[in-house]
């Protein structure tokens, strides 16, 4: 069942019109949103901000743009927790479920909007008691448990900005982020459940905080009963704080200015010191609410939404917490990994909670493909009506698999392009409106200006180049914490008057956008630009391949050589891949793309080094391919993977 590669798709017309039944239900079934936005994009966003958000003080100014600094809805005031909680309860929807939480061991908790508001107020009162004030920063280092959402919302209630640090990060990463943001308090847990074991967090916090003079208190959720050491005077149990602020405690929300800092979230980027990406209050909330509603065609009273992202990633901020809650939606939240206790965990949960909208990453889809179609086939997935993808370019093969085996052939797929920096979805199909092509994120949303430009910054109407954004958008980053020059230099200096996303993209003859990954990931082989994504897509197109990562390594004759790291599907020789298999894959790439793209070396590996959000760390693979010692591995989901790959690389034969 060979699916076409990206290039083949660009030539062949293979499009999917929205299923008719879906189009009839959709929020958007004509181009009126586009027409409105095309007529006046600022007025369009102002209208969304008024319709979707409750303002304590209405704004009169829409946008002040002093490139590269934007202010949206600047004289407006609002509180995010009020928008996410109080207004739904006040409207009589307090008994609606906000979260169906499921822990990895199978424990569950159903939390209504009224209950969530109660816990947020109690915890917000506790934060105030610990000395947290409007304008402070609070670090959050938690597993995927309801307390993570409570902690974030409690910060917004008192006007403190949060900095969520992914629970899989090391104590050094946590320490650096706490110091950079001068956080006052850390909210953590003793541990979280991961692959059947308690993965400890508190010892990392102790090591980090020992070097962080700004931290006065550490709040600890008792998730796994691991009896952590509690430092008197500094550490305090979450449940003790709640006991001191019993049910019914209120905590008046701070009226925040639209441009007050809502959160800082660090992105590692491919190199260098992590950047603290700053997001503010009014614009961010407007765009996450808008995108969550329209991109996912949300019907808040009936849908069950599940975004599988961790809260440590921007996708968790925007589509587990703020977007769904602002819209009064019901979400699923899951603590663990999709293979615990078995490979059908996700599908079992979709069946159990009757999930209607499922949003995940291509890397996860490819892992599920590797485990086989018998896993989803064990479950009734008929509640699903819409699927989403985010985080990486989705290869056509995975797109088709997702559509067929998870979506039952009836669910539209929204492939959503965006970044930590953009805060919310920017490029995506709209269900019921856009005719999709497998692997293409299609078009910019209404109100968003995106163009592909060449080296000189000239906009292209067809062909490959660099993805840029042509005007400000409400959820855009407002800067890099503590480093305005780096903000200007990284995003606004490559092309005049444009935001440079750092991604390569292609426009096909029909004007569809195809994202090609980070431009640092483009290889130059004998003078030809070859995108790592295209070679990976061609490899995954081979029936035996589950996942592939491609990098360019220095080569004396060709400048750069294509090196491929390949994971085979179960039962496809994964245990003992042969040289012949490597030759077959090389030939496959040559056939699909051309001889120039044929990998020089193929390294078979059981796993690939990935960040917690599932992105392949190509920088590390380049280090392996070029025989260097490994750079920073602290942001890897599983640091052992690279050591194993290094060992394999040393024994892999090269092409003659
Ligand atoms: C939301 C998120 C951003 C980078 C981005 C791009 C890649 C994300 C994508 C996609 C192709 C998509 N990316 N979505 N590439 N198609 N639908 O992932 O944020 O972690 O900051 O990463 O991810 O390369 O520039 P973040």
């Amino acid at each position: 069942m060979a699916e076409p590669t990206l290039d083949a798709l660009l030539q062949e017309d293979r499009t999917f019109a929205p299923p008719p039944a879906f189009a009839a239900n959709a929020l958007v079934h004509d181009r009126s949103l586009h027409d409105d936005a095309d007529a006046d994009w600022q007025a369009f966003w102002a209208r969304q901000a008024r319709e979707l958000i409750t303002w304590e003080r209405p704004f009169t100014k829409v946008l002040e743009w002093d490139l590269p600094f934007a202010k949206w809805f600047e004289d407006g005031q609002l509180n995010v927790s009020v928008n996410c909680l109080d207004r739904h309860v006040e409207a009589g929807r307090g008994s609606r479920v906000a979260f169906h939480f499921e822990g990895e061991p199978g424990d569950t908790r159903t939390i209504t909007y009224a209950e969530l508001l109660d816990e947020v107020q109690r915890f917000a009162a506790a934060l105030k008691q610990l000395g947290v004030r409007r304008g402070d920063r609070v670090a959050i280092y938690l597993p995927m448990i309801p307390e993570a959402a409570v902690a974030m919302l409690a910060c917004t209630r008192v006007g403190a900005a949060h900095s969520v640090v992914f629970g899989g990060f090391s104590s050094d990463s946590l320490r650096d982020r706490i110091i950079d943001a001068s956080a006052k308090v850390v909210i953590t847990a003793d541990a979280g459940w991961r692959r059947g074991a308690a993965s400890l967090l508190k010892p990392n916090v102790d090591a980090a905080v020992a070097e962080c003079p700004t931290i006065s208190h550490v709040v600890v959720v008792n998730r796994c009963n691991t009896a952590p050491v509690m430092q008197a005077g500094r550490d305090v149990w979450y449940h003790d704080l709640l006991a001191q602020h019993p049910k019914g405690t209120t905590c008046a929300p701070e009226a925040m200015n639209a441009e007050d800092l809502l959160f800082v979230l660090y992105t590692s980027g491919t190199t260098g010191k992590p950047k603290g990406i700053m997001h503010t209050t009014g614009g961010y909330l407007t765009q996450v609410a808008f995108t969550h509603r329209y991109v996912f065609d949300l019907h808040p009273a009936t849908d069950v939404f599940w975004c599988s992202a961790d809260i440590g990633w921007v996708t968790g901020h925007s589509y587990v917490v703020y977007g769904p809650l602002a819209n009064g939606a019901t979400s699923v939240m899951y603590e663990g990994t999709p293979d615990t206790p078995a490979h059908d965990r996700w599908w079992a949960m979709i069946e159990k909670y009757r999930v209607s909208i499922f949003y995940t990453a291509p890397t996860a889809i490819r892992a599920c493909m590797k485990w086989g179609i018998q896993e989803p086939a064990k479950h009734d997935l008929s509640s699903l009506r819409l699927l989403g993808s985010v985080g990486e370019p989705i290869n056509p093969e995975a797109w088709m698999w997702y559509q067929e085996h998870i979506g039952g052939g009836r669910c539209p797929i929204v492939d959503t392009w965006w970044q930590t920096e953009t805060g919310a979805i920017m490029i995506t199909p709209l269900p019921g409106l856009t005719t999709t092509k497998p692997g293409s994120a299609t078009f910019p949303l209404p109100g968003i200006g995106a163009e592909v430009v060449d080296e000189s910054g000239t906009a292209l109407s067809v062909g490959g180049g660099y993805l840029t954004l042509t005007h400000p958008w409400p959820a855009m980053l407002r800067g890099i914490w503590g480093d305005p020059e780096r903000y200007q230099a990284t995003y606004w200096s490559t092309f005049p008057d444009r935001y440079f996303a750092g991604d390569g993209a292609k426009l096909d003859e029909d004007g569809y956008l195809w994202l090609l990954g980070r431009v640092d990931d483009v290889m130059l082989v004998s003078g030809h630009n070859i995108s790592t994504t295209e070679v990976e897509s061609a490899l995954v197109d081979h029936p035996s391949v589950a996942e592939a990562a491609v990098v360019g390594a220095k080569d004396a004759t060709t400048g750069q050589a294509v090196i491929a790291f390949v994971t085979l599907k179960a039962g496809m020789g994964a245990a003992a891949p042969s040289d012949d298999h490597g030759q077959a894959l090389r030939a496959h790439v040559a056939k699909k793309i051309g001889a120039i793209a044929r990998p020089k070396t193929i390294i078979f590996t059981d796993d690939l080094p990935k960040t917690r959000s599932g992105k392949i760390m190509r920088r590390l693979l380049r280090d392996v391919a070029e025989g260097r010692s490994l750079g920073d591995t602290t942001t890897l989901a599983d640091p052992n993977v690279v050591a194993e790959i290094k060992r394999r690389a040393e024994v892999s034969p090269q092409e003659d």
Side-chain angles (χ1 to χ4, degrees), residues 267 313-315 319 359 362 389-394 414-422 424 427 439-441 467 501-504 514-519 521 611-613 615:
T267 60
W313 183 27
V314 70
T315 308
Y319 301 106
Y359 189 36
S389 168
V390 59
E392 285 176 282
I394 179 165
V414 290
D415 172 14
T416 62
W417 178 91
W418 60 294
Q419 307 176 300
T420 304
E421 293 87 341
T422 72
I427 302 175
S440 167
L467 180 67
D503 283 359
W514 298 77
L515 278 310
L516 299 176
R518 311 294 302 167
V519 286
D521 292 339
T611 64
R612 84 287 189 192
S613 60
K615 290 192 209 338

Side-chain angles (χ1 to χ4, degrees), residues 105 143 189-194 197-200 221-227 335:
D190 64 328
W193 292 108
R194 203 172 162 77
S199 164
L200 298 181
V221 177
N222 186 21
R223 171 69 188 140
C224 303
N225 269 318
T226 59
E335 178 186 29

